Amino acid sequence: MAEETEKTEAPTAKQLGAARRFVAEHGKPSKAVVENIGRIGARVVLIGADGALGDVIVPAPATGEALVEATEDLEPAEWDAETVGATKIGAAHRHRMAGPRGRR
């Protein structure tokens, strides 16, 4: 039986540009947590040096890892106490994330 190898899809120029812009706007070093979101792919959560949050959706976790590696001043991270403590979630972000019920 032949072993199947999965080809890692490289991040697109748009995905790389978004990550690089985030780092430029929110400080160095920034952190990134790659989260598998199932068939859709992966979410690369970006945490700026200033505590801001952002994200980039990619087709696979391996693509997310490649995105982090290819972006200067973007460090891989996990959701540990240090990373969570580095986030600063303001009222506007909480309101937006609440969805339609939070917009009343």
Side-chain angles (χ1 to χ4, degrees):
M1 181 188 285
E3 190 176 309
E4 289 187 36
T5 58
E6 194 174 309
K7 183 180 175 189
T8 301
E9 197 172 320
T12 65
K14 184 176 179 180
Q15 293 162 340
L16 286 166
R20 289 175 179 149
R21 268 190 313 281
F22 182 88
V23 172
E25 292 173 10
H26 298 287
K28 304 172 188 178
S30 291
K31 296 181 179 192
V33 178
V34 179
E35 300 176 329
N36 187 342
I37 54 175
R39 288 183 274 177
I40 293 172
R43 177 180 184 218
V44 182
V45 181
L46 306 170
I47 303 102
D50 64 356
L53 290 173
D55 64 0
V56 179
I57 303 298
V58 294
T63 306
E65 292 164 10
L67 174 72
V68 174
E69 189 174 313
T71 306
E72 190 174 339
D73 295 314
L74 188 59
E75 301 173 350
E78 298 292 327
W79 286 119
D80 55 18
E82 181 182 342
T83 303
V84 172
T87 63
K88 293 184 180 130
I89 303 171
H93 186 78
R94 289 179 197 277
H95 186 71
R96 186 180 67 194
M97 295 304 291
R101 291 181 175 253
R103 295 186 186 115
R104 292 180 190 190

